[in-house]
Amino acid sequence: MGDSANALIKQILNRPVNAIGRIIKSDETGFCIELDSGECVAKRAASCLLAPEIGDSVLVCGPHAAALYIIAVLERSTDVPSRLVLGKDAEISASGRLSLASDELLVRARTATTLIDQLSSFGRELNASIGKIKLVGNLFESFLDRV
């Protein structure tokens, strides 16, 4: 091949990529994505918080075909629960009110610490199973209807 042909191939391969594709498989190194122009491999961009799943329609972008990222999950193909992936350490912050709402909330952690200036909790029923309780306080007030 001549120099002009090699230059043309290099120019084509180094063009920016913006495409919509479908995830066909994944492993620890990335995702295999089917595009109209063929298959490619892409990593999840840090800003793509919704974890991509096989069958999902995704937006793939990159500076060239060898450096592609999944920027967004456009459509979910199955009823797989949505899973947000934030990375190793993460923080959610709001300058005003932060609200969570769902039919059911499950929080799971090896350890947990809450720092709250004032706490109000309202519920219809409490079930708790605790191995040890340690309370430290200056004042204890209790009102019980029936013990």
Side-chain angles (χ1 to χ4, degrees):
M1 262 191 237
D3 288 339
S4 63
N6 285 337
L8 180 60
I9 290 171
K10 188 175 182 179
Q11 182 181 7
I12 291 170
L13 293 177
N14 288 329
R15 292 183 65 197
V17 175
N18 293 301
I20 293 175
R22 187 178 59 84
I23 297 177
I24 54 177
K25 60 184 169 182
S26 68
D27 60 27
E28 58 279 343
T29 61
F31 299 88
C32 184
I33 304 188
E34 183 179 59
L35 303 174
D36 288 341
S37 59
E39 292 180 6
C40 68
V41 175
K43 295 189 282 185
R44 182 183 63 86
S47 62
C48 183
L49 300 182
L50 180 60
E53 299 288 343
I54 292 174
D56 286 353
S57 176
V58 294
L59 176 61
V60 179
C61 297
H64 50 80
L68 296 177
Y69 291 91
I70 296 173
I71 302 300
V73 175
L74 303 175
E75 287 185 356
R76 173 100 331 142
S77 67
T78 63
D79 290 335
V80 174
S82 296
R83 188 171 51 97
L84 300 182
V85 178
L86 302 176
K88 183 181 176 189
D89 292 329
E91 178 179 318
I92 297 174
S93 178
S95 60
R97 174 183 224 160
L98 177 63
S99 178
L100 298 175
S102 71
D103 288 338
E104 184 176 341
L105 176 64
L106 171 66
V107 178
R108 187 176 301 173
R110 192 179 59 73
T111 63
T113 302
T114 58
L115 306 169
I116 302 171
D117 286 334
Q118 181 179 348
L119 174 65
S120 297
S121 181
F122 304 96
R124 193 179 55 78
E125 184 177 324
L126 170 67
N127 295 308
S129 175
I130 300 172
K132 178 182 175 181
I133 296 176
K134 182 178 180 180
L135 297 173
V136 177
N138 293 329
L139 176 67
F140 179 77
E141 292 183 19
S142 177
F143 176 79
L144 299 172
D145 240 358
R146 178 175 55 179
V147 176

